[in-house]
């Protein structure tokens, strides 16, 4: 197979784009897809200061490197969850990456807040993953706002977005369907949130990481029973193989034609949001979810 652009031997085949690329043309393709994704929904500009949530996985590291190469002002934020045998390795990968590329990094240890995930897990009578996600989002938002960042970026890719969309559709969750997309505007004490890799598949971010020599953390979290939405991802992989390009078309079609319909629908009992009595974080109750978890951790 020859590169679709320069006719040199191709190293990456992309049936969904009816193309194959050599290493250098693939990296150009990746850049163009990121730029297109940013431009289409006006995610941010070169004047913004962007806090990039970096887990140590390939997606968020690829995102941070590409944004810095494109001249955006980026700072990394890593949440150290305090999980033995996992968090140290993920954090070390992120620290080495930032040092190698001269990028600034903030690290937040949840243990310092009494929220080491293994202890939270011990206290909960249910799986810790959703609470862990809540704690991560809390610190993404809090640190972005407190430290004056104008945008918070995460490494969610097209496969993550499709799997989430599909799950929202299976439940016809109108509120989630109205909100899902590459951009969430800042409002009511929440930071502006963006997902600049929304046009790129996991396969594509993996190739990018490989070709740019990014060392990344691959071990799954010891507390999750495998990747989230596995069934949905398998279903979509089969569909994509039979109909190359479907995934991106479906997601773009949702953003352009599906989502507006959910956004126009009358809001169903939307709760009013106010600052948490203890920490000021936006919540629909008196005390926010994370402060309630902290209280639970203090109870004997
Ligand atoms: P996940 O929910 O694990 O697929 O992660 C989705 C995105 O959330 C990643 O691409 C990162 O941008 C961010 N993220 C997840 N875990 C962390 C972490 N421990 N520290 C910083 N960012 C994270
Ligand atoms: Fe949070 Fe696994 S990363 S429970
Ligand atoms: Zn609170």
């Amino acid at each position: 197979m020859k590169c679709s652009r320069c006719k040199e031997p191709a190293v990456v085949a992309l049936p969904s784009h009816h193309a194959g690329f050599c290493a250098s043309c693939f990296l150009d393709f990746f850049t163009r897809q990121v730029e297109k994704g940013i431009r289409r929904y006006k995610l941010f500009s070169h004047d913004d200061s962007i806090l990039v949530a970096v887990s140590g996985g390939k997606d968020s590291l690829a995102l941070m490197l590409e944004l810095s190469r494109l001249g955006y002002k980026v700072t990394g934020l890593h949440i150290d969850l305090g999980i033995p045998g996992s968090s140290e390795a993920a954090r070390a990968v992120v620290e080495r990456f930032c040092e190698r590329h001269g990028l600034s990094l903030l690290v937040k240890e949840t243990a310092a807040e009494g929220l080491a995930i293994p202890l939270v897990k011990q206290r909960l009578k249910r799986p810790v993953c959703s609470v862990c996600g809540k704690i991560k989002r809390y610190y993404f938002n809090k640190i972005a706002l407190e430290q004056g960042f104008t945008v918070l970026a995460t490494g969610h890719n097209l496969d993550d977005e499709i799997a989430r969309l599909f799950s929202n559709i299976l439940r016809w969750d109108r509120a989630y369907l109205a909100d899902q997309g590459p951009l969430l505007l800042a409002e009511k004490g929440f930071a502006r949130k963006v997902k600049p890799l929304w046009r790129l598949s996991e396969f594509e971010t993996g190739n990018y990481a490989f070709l740019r020599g990014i060392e990344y953390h691959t071990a799954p979290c010891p507390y999750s029973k495998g990747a989230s939405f596995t069934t949905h991802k398998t279903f979509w992989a089969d569909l994509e193989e039979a109909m190359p390009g479907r995934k991106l078309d479906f997601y773009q079609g949702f953003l352009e034609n599906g989502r507006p319909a959910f956004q126009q629908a009358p809001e169903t009992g939307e709760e009013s949001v106010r600052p948490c009595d203890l920490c000021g974080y936006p919540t629909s109750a008196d005390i926010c979810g994370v402060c309630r978890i902290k209280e639970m951790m203090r109870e004997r």
Side-chain angles (χ1 to χ4, degrees):
M1 186 181 195
K2 284 187 177 164
C3 173
S4 309
R5 283 176 78 213
C6 73
K7 310 301 169 204
E8 290 292 308
V11 295
V12 188
L14 298 180
S16 53
H17 292 272
H18 310 288
F21 293 120
C22 69
S24 133
C25 292
F26 174 79
L27 293 171
D28 287 345
F29 157 85
F30 191 92
T31 299
R32 282 198 312 274
Q33 291 298 317
V34 174
E35 285 177 319
K36 209 165 163 177
I38 296 170
R39 223 176 22 243
R40 176 65 186 85
Y41 288 100
K42 299 190 174 64
L43 300 188
F44 43 76
S45 74
H46 282 90
D47 295 330
D48 279 297
S49 54
I50 307 171
L51 186 64
V52 184
V54 275
S55 58
K58 60 184 181 324
D59 302 305
S60 48
L61 295 180
L63 171 64
M64 187 155 174
L65 183 59
E66 188 57 27
L67 292 185
S68 84
R69 293 178 65 93
L70 287 169
Y72 290 103
K73 283 178 256 165
V74 288
T75 297
L77 169 63
H78 179 70
I79 311 288
D80 183 333
L81 302 163
I83 304 174
S86 164
S87 296
E88 299 99 331
R91 176 177 174 167
V93 160
V94 173
E95 286 173 342
R96 277 198 297 274
F97 170 87
C98 288
E99 204 179 308
R100 174 176 164 200
H101 296 284
L103 297 166
S104 23
L105 173 67
L106 306 173
V107 175
K108 177 76 195 175
E109 294 175 359
T110 63
E113 305 285 339
L115 295 172
I117 298 300
L119 297 182
V120 178
K121 183 175 184 292
Q122 256 175 29
R123 279 297 173 94
L124 285 177
K125 306 278 180 291
R126 55 201 161 93
V128 72
C129 292
S130 71
V131 167
C132 170
K134 189 194 281 264
I135 294 172
K136 283 192 271 194
R137 287 191 298 277
Y138 176 90
Y139 288 111
F140 292 168
N141 201 58
K142 203 163 196 295
I143 293 169
L145 292 178
E146 282 176 4
Q147 307 220 11
F149 291 94
T150 52
V151 188
L152 172 86
T154 52
H156 293 95
N157 59 41
L158 177 63
D159 293 280
D160 297 325
E161 287 300 282
I162 279 283
R164 177 173 301 274
L165 172 59
F166 200 50
S167 148
N168 290 339
I169 289 176
L170 289 178
R171 288 178 287 108
W172 290 116
D173 191 319
R174 284 160 51 181
Y176 279 35
L177 286 163
D179 261 359
Q180 191 183 342
L183 168 66
L184 262 182
L185 294 172
E187 58 159 1
K188 299 175 195 157
F190 289 108
R192 181 183 180 93
K193 297 193 186 74
V194 298
K195 299 169 183 170
L197 298 185
W198 67 272
R199 300 181 57 84
L200 290 146
S201 69
E202 198 168 330
F203 175 74
E204 289 158 354
T205 60
N207 273 289
Y208 178 88
F210 174 76
L211 292 172
R212 286 250 178 261
I214 298 176
E215 174 212 2
Y216 57 89
H217 183 70
T218 46
C221 168
Y223 298 152
S224 73
K225 293 192 208 75
S228 51
F229 302 126
T230 309
T231 322
H232 302 176
K233 286 190 176 176
T234 312
F235 168 86
W236 274 96
D238 291 347
L239 197 68
E240 181 72 17
E241 195 178 326
M243 303 163 80
R246 261 300 71 193
K247 252 185 335 207
L248 186 55
D249 279 355
F250 185 75
Y251 191 57
Q252 290 193 109
F254 162 71
L255 294 175
E256 279 158 31
N257 306 316
R259 191 173 61 162
F262 294 103
Q263 288 173 331
Q264 277 160 20
E267 289 176 10
T268 46
E270 204 205 2
E271 296 162 291
S272 62
V273 171
R274 50 180 295 274
C276 167
D277 286 348
L278 298 176
C279 74
Y281 193 80
T283 172
S284 53
D286 294 342
I287 295 177
C288 79
V290 169
C291 285
R292 269 180 284 147
I293 299 163
K294 283 188 180 178
E295 288 195 331
M296 175 194 81
M297 296 301 293
R298 280 192 293 264
E299 282 161 16
R300 299 218 99 245

PDB file of all heavy atoms in Angstrom, residues 114-136:
ATOM      1  N   GLY A 114      -7.634  13.262  52.247  1.00  0.00           N
ATOM      2  CA  GLY A 114      -8.317  12.155  52.927  1.00  0.00           C
ATOM      3  C   GLY A 114      -9.079  11.267  51.955  1.00  0.00           C
ATOM      4  O   GLY A 114      -9.985  10.535  52.340  1.00  0.00           O
ATOM      5  N   LEU A 115      -8.699  11.349  50.655  1.00  0.00           N
ATOM      6  CA  LEU A 115      -9.455  10.616  49.639  1.00  0.00           C
ATOM      7  C   LEU A 115      -8.577   9.662  48.824  1.00  0.00           C
ATOM      8  O   LEU A 115      -8.718   9.564  47.604  1.00  0.00           O
ATOM      9  CB  LEU A 115     -10.154  11.607  48.696  1.00  0.00           C
ATOM     10  CG  LEU A 115     -11.239  12.497  49.316  1.00  0.00           C
ATOM     11  CD1 LEU A 115     -11.710  13.557  48.320  1.00  0.00           C
ATOM     12  CD2 LEU A 115     -12.437  11.650  49.781  1.00  0.00           C
ATOM     13  N   ALA A 116      -7.644   8.960  49.498  1.00  0.00           N
ATOM     14  CA  ALA A 116      -6.893   7.916  48.785  1.00  0.00           C
ATOM     15  C   ALA A 116      -7.923   6.881  48.322  1.00  0.00           C
ATOM     16  O   ALA A 116      -8.753   6.426  49.123  1.00  0.00           O
ATOM     17  CB  ALA A 116      -5.871   7.272  49.709  1.00  0.00           C
ATOM     18  N   ILE A 117      -7.906   6.538  47.043  1.00  0.00           N
ATOM     19  CA  ILE A 117      -8.979   5.701  46.488  1.00  0.00           C
ATOM     20  C   ILE A 117      -9.100   4.324  47.178  1.00  0.00           C
ATOM     21  O   ILE A 117     -10.218   3.853  47.397  1.00  0.00           O
ATOM     22  CB  ILE A 117      -8.851   5.593  44.939  1.00  0.00           C
ATOM     23  CG1 ILE A 117      -8.996   6.995  44.312  1.00  0.00           C
ATOM     24  CG2 ILE A 117      -9.874   4.634  44.341  1.00  0.00           C
ATOM     25  CD1 ILE A 117     -10.323   7.701  44.579  1.00  0.00           C
ATOM     26  N   PRO A 118      -7.973   3.684  47.572  1.00  0.00           N
ATOM     27  CA  PRO A 118      -8.146   2.386  48.268  1.00  0.00           C
ATOM     28  C   PRO A 118      -8.938   2.525  49.572  1.00  0.00           C
ATOM     29  O   PRO A 118      -9.720   1.636  49.912  1.00  0.00           O
ATOM     30  CB  PRO A 118      -6.708   1.950  48.559  1.00  0.00           C
ATOM     31  CG  PRO A 118      -5.875   2.682  47.563  1.00  0.00           C
ATOM     32  CD  PRO A 118      -6.559   3.987  47.314  1.00  0.00           C
ATOM     33  N   LEU A 119      -8.768   3.654  50.285  1.00  0.00           N
ATOM     34  CA  LEU A 119      -9.524   3.861  51.529  1.00  0.00           C
ATOM     35  C   LEU A 119     -10.986   4.154  51.225  1.00  0.00           C
ATOM     36  O   LEU A 119     -11.895   3.675  51.912  1.00  0.00           O
ATOM     37  CB  LEU A 119      -8.921   5.018  52.339  1.00  0.00           C
ATOM     38  CG  LEU A 119      -7.482   4.809  52.818  1.00  0.00           C
ATOM     39  CD1 LEU A 119      -7.012   5.992  53.646  1.00  0.00           C
ATOM     40  CD2 LEU A 119      -7.388   3.523  53.647  1.00  0.00           C
ATOM     41  N   VAL A 120     -11.216   4.949  50.180  1.00  0.00           N
ATOM     42  CA  VAL A 120     -12.600   5.245  49.780  1.00  0.00           C
ATOM     43  C   VAL A 120     -13.296   3.933  49.398  1.00  0.00           C
ATOM     44  O   VAL A 120     -14.445   3.678  49.771  1.00  0.00           O
ATOM     45  CB  VAL A 120     -12.643   6.248  48.597  1.00  0.00           C
ATOM     46  CG1 VAL A 120     -14.081   6.504  48.158  1.00  0.00           C
ATOM     47  CG2 VAL A 120     -11.958   7.561  48.971  1.00  0.00           C
ATOM     48  N   LYS A 121     -12.555   3.092  48.682  1.00  0.00           N
ATOM     49  CA  LYS A 121     -13.097   1.805  48.235  1.00  0.00           C
ATOM     50  C   LYS A 121     -13.509   0.952  49.440  1.00  0.00           C
ATOM     51  O   LYS A 121     -14.580   0.340  49.439  1.00  0.00           O
ATOM     52  CB  LYS A 121     -12.042   1.064  47.407  1.00  0.00           C
ATOM     53  CG  LYS A 121     -12.504  -0.253  46.821  1.00  0.00           C
ATOM     54  CD  LYS A 121     -11.408  -0.829  45.927  1.00  0.00           C
ATOM     55  CE  LYS A 121     -11.872  -2.102  45.232  1.00  0.00           C
ATOM     56  NZ  LYS A 121     -12.066  -3.209  46.142  1.00  0.00           N
ATOM     57  N   GLN A 122     -12.646   0.948  50.480  1.00  0.00           N
ATOM     58  CA  GLN A 122     -12.944   0.176  51.694  1.00  0.00           C
ATOM     59  C   GLN A 122     -14.254   0.606  52.342  1.00  0.00           C
ATOM     60  O   GLN A 122     -15.001  -0.205  52.866  1.00  0.00           O
ATOM     61  CB  GLN A 122     -11.831   0.408  52.714  1.00  0.00           C
ATOM     62  CG  GLN A 122     -10.865  -0.727  52.854  1.00  0.00           C
ATOM     63  CD  GLN A 122      -9.733  -0.356  53.809  1.00  0.00           C
ATOM     64  OE1 GLN A 122      -9.908   0.437  54.726  1.00  0.00           O
ATOM     65  NE2 GLN A 122      -8.568  -0.924  53.551  1.00  0.00           N
ATOM     66  N   ARG A 123     -14.488   1.927  52.341  1.00  0.00           N
ATOM     67  CA  ARG A 123     -15.665   2.481  53.011  1.00  0.00           C
ATOM     68  C   ARG A 123     -16.964   2.274  52.232  1.00  0.00           C
ATOM     69  O   ARG A 123     -18.042   2.153  52.800  1.00  0.00           O
ATOM     70  CB  ARG A 123     -15.506   3.999  53.228  1.00  0.00           C
ATOM     71  CG  ARG A 123     -14.668   4.344  54.418  1.00  0.00           C
ATOM     72  CD  ARG A 123     -15.351   3.816  55.678  1.00  0.00           C
ATOM     73  NE  ARG A 123     -14.507   3.994  56.827  1.00  0.00           N
ATOM     74  CZ  ARG A 123     -14.579   5.065  57.626  1.00  0.00           C
ATOM     75  NH1 ARG A 123     -15.450   6.010  57.372  1.00  0.00           N
ATOM     76  NH2 ARG A 123     -13.779   5.162  58.634  1.00  0.00           N
ATOM     77  N   LEU A 124     -16.864   2.293  50.899  1.00  0.00           N
ATOM     78  CA  LEU A 124     -18.065   2.203  50.059  1.00  0.00           C
ATOM     79  C   LEU A 124     -18.590   0.775  50.037  1.00  0.00           C
ATOM     80  O   LEU A 124     -17.836  -0.171  50.090  1.00  0.00           O
ATOM     81  CB  LEU A 124     -17.742   2.600  48.614  1.00  0.00           C
ATOM     82  CG  LEU A 124     -17.547   4.057  48.272  1.00  0.00           C
ATOM     83  CD1 LEU A 124     -17.174   4.150  46.801  1.00  0.00           C
ATOM     84  CD2 LEU A 124     -18.807   4.868  48.534  1.00  0.00           C
ATOM     85  N   LYS A 125     -19.890   0.663  49.901  1.00  0.00           N
ATOM     86  CA  LYS A 125     -20.462  -0.681  49.780  1.00  0.00           C
ATOM     87  C   LYS A 125     -20.714  -1.026  48.307  1.00  0.00           C
ATOM     88  O   LYS A 125     -21.380  -1.973  47.994  1.00  0.00           O
ATOM     89  CB  LYS A 125     -21.791  -0.760  50.554  1.00  0.00           C
ATOM     90  CG  LYS A 125     -21.682  -0.333  52.003  1.00  0.00           C
ATOM     91  CD  LYS A 125     -21.157  -1.465  52.895  1.00  0.00           C
ATOM     92  CE  LYS A 125     -21.041  -1.054  54.341  1.00  0.00           C
ATOM     93  NZ  LYS A 125     -19.973  -0.069  54.625  1.00  0.00           N
ATOM     94  N   ARG A 126     -20.221  -0.153  47.385  1.00  0.00           N
ATOM     95  CA  ARG A 126     -20.448  -0.386  45.953  1.00  0.00           C
ATOM     96  C   ARG A 126     -19.139  -0.104  45.203  1.00  0.00           C
ATOM     97  O   ARG A 126     -18.190   0.398  45.798  1.00  0.00           O
ATOM     98  CB  ARG A 126     -21.583   0.513  45.463  1.00  0.00           C
ATOM     99  CG  ARG A 126     -21.347   1.968  45.759  1.00  0.00           C
ATOM    100  CD  ARG A 126     -22.636   2.787  45.740  1.00  0.00           C
ATOM    101  NE  ARG A 126     -22.437   4.041  46.449  1.00  0.00           N
ATOM    102  CZ  ARG A 126     -22.073   5.179  45.876  1.00  0.00           C
ATOM    103  NH1 ARG A 126     -21.888   5.241  44.578  1.00  0.00           N
ATOM    104  NH2 ARG A 126     -21.906   6.277  46.588  1.00  0.00           N
ATOM    105  N   PRO A 127     -19.064  -0.418  43.888  1.00  0.00           N
ATOM    106  CA  PRO A 127     -17.809  -0.212  43.154  1.00  0.00           C
ATOM    107  C   PRO A 127     -17.353   1.247  43.235  1.00  0.00           C
ATOM    108  O   PRO A 127     -18.172   2.162  43.252  1.00  0.00           O
ATOM    109  CB  PRO A 127     -18.168  -0.585  41.721  1.00  0.00           C
ATOM    110  CG  PRO A 127     -19.359  -1.480  41.830  1.00  0.00           C
ATOM    111  CD  PRO A 127     -20.111  -1.025  43.040  1.00  0.00           C
ATOM    112  N   VAL A 128     -16.029   1.421  43.285  1.00  0.00           N
ATOM    113  CA  VAL A 128     -15.476   2.750  43.555  1.00  0.00           C
ATOM    114  C   VAL A 128     -15.367   3.617  42.288  1.00  0.00           C
ATOM    115  O   VAL A 128     -15.202   4.822  42.373  1.00  0.00           O
ATOM    116  CB  VAL A 128     -14.097   2.612  44.259  1.00  0.00           C
ATOM    117  CG1 VAL A 128     -13.028   2.128  43.303  1.00  0.00           C
ATOM    118  CG2 VAL A 128     -13.674   3.914  44.928  1.00  0.00           C
ATOM    119  N   CYS A 129     -15.478   2.988  41.106  1.00  0.00           N
ATOM    120  CA  CYS A 129     -15.164   3.714  39.861  1.00  0.00           C
ATOM    121  C   CYS A 129     -15.956   5.010  39.666  1.00  0.00           C
ATOM    122  O   CYS A 129     -15.394   6.021  39.276  1.00  0.00           O
ATOM    123  CB  CYS A 129     -15.351   2.811  38.645  1.00  0.00           C
ATOM    124  SG  CYS A 129     -14.117   1.513  38.638  1.00  0.00           S
ATOM    125  N   SER A 130     -17.267   4.979  39.927  1.00  0.00           N
ATOM    126  CA  SER A 130     -18.038   6.194  39.645  1.00  0.00           C
ATOM    127  C   SER A 130     -17.691   7.285  40.656  1.00  0.00           C
ATOM    128  O   SER A 130     -17.627   8.460  40.311  1.00  0.00           O
ATOM    129  CB  SER A 130     -19.535   5.901  39.613  1.00  0.00           C
ATOM    130  OG  SER A 130     -19.982   5.631  40.915  1.00  0.00           O
ATOM    131  N   VAL A 131     -17.412   6.891  41.906  1.00  0.00           N
ATOM    132  CA  VAL A 131     -17.011   7.873  42.917  1.00  0.00           C
ATOM    133  C   VAL A 131     -15.625   8.434  42.566  1.00  0.00           C
ATOM    134  O   VAL A 131     -15.370   9.635  42.667  1.00  0.00           O
ATOM    135  CB  VAL A 131     -17.004   7.224  44.321  1.00  0.00           C
ATOM    136  CG1 VAL A 131     -16.304   8.104  45.334  1.00  0.00           C
ATOM    137  CG2 VAL A 131     -18.431   6.946  44.765  1.00  0.00           C
ATOM    138  N   CYS A 132     -14.741   7.562  42.116  1.00  0.00           N
ATOM    139  CA  CYS A 132     -13.401   7.991  41.705  1.00  0.00           C
ATOM    140  C   CYS A 132     -13.513   9.006  40.560  1.00  0.00           C
ATOM    141  O   CYS A 132     -12.832  10.030  40.558  1.00  0.00           O
ATOM    142  CB  CYS A 132     -12.597   6.770  41.289  1.00  0.00           C
ATOM    143  SG  CYS A 132     -11.043   7.151  40.485  1.00  0.00           S
ATOM    144  N   GLY A 133     -14.410   8.727  39.592  1.00  0.00           N
ATOM    145  CA  GLY A 133     -14.634   9.649  38.476  1.00  0.00           C
ATOM    146  C   GLY A 133     -15.143  10.996  38.971  1.00  0.00           C
ATOM    147  O   GLY A 133     -14.716  12.046  38.503  1.00  0.00           O
ATOM    148  N   LYS A 134     -16.026  10.942  39.958  1.00  0.00           N
ATOM    149  CA  LYS A 134     -16.586  12.171  40.532  1.00  0.00           C
ATOM    150  C   LYS A 134     -15.476  13.002  41.197  1.00  0.00           C
ATOM    151  O   LYS A 134     -15.400  14.216  41.026  1.00  0.00           O
ATOM    152  CB  LYS A 134     -17.647  11.777  41.574  1.00  0.00           C
ATOM    153  CG  LYS A 134     -18.473  12.938  42.111  1.00  0.00           C
ATOM    154  CD  LYS A 134     -19.229  12.515  43.360  1.00  0.00           C
ATOM    155  CE  LYS A 134     -20.478  11.700  43.062  1.00  0.00           C
ATOM    156  NZ  LYS A 134     -21.698  12.505  43.020  1.00  0.00           N
ATOM    157  N   ILE A 135     -14.594  12.307  41.938  1.00  0.00           N
ATOM    158  CA  ILE A 135     -13.490  13.000  42.625  1.00  0.00           C
ATOM    159  C   ILE A 135     -12.543  13.632  41.599  1.00  0.00           C
ATOM    160  O   ILE A 135     -12.134  14.779  41.742  1.00  0.00           O
ATOM    161  CB  ILE A 135     -12.731  12.015  43.555  1.00  0.00           C
ATOM    162  CG1 ILE A 135     -13.655  11.571  44.700  1.00  0.00           C
ATOM    163  CG2 ILE A 135     -11.445  12.634  44.090  1.00  0.00           C
ATOM    164  CD1 ILE A 135     -13.098  10.449  45.584  1.00  0.00           C
ATOM    165  N   LYS A 136     -12.239  12.879  40.524  1.00  0.00           N
ATOM    166  CA  LYS A 136     -11.350  13.426  39.488  1.00  0.00           C
ATOM    167  C   LYS A 136     -11.966  14.683  38.851  1.00  0.00           C
ATOM    168  O   LYS A 136     -11.310  15.713  38.750  1.00  0.00           O
ATOM    169  CB  LYS A 136     -11.081  12.371  38.396  1.00  0.00           C
ATOM    170  CG  LYS A 136     -10.068  11.316  38.820  1.00  0.00           C
ATOM    171  CD  LYS A 136      -9.605  10.483  37.642  1.00  0.00           C
ATOM    172  CE  LYS A 136     -10.482   9.277  37.432  1.00  0.00           C
ATOM    173  NZ  LYS A 136      -9.912   8.257  36.537  1.00  0.00           N
TER     174      LYS A 136
END
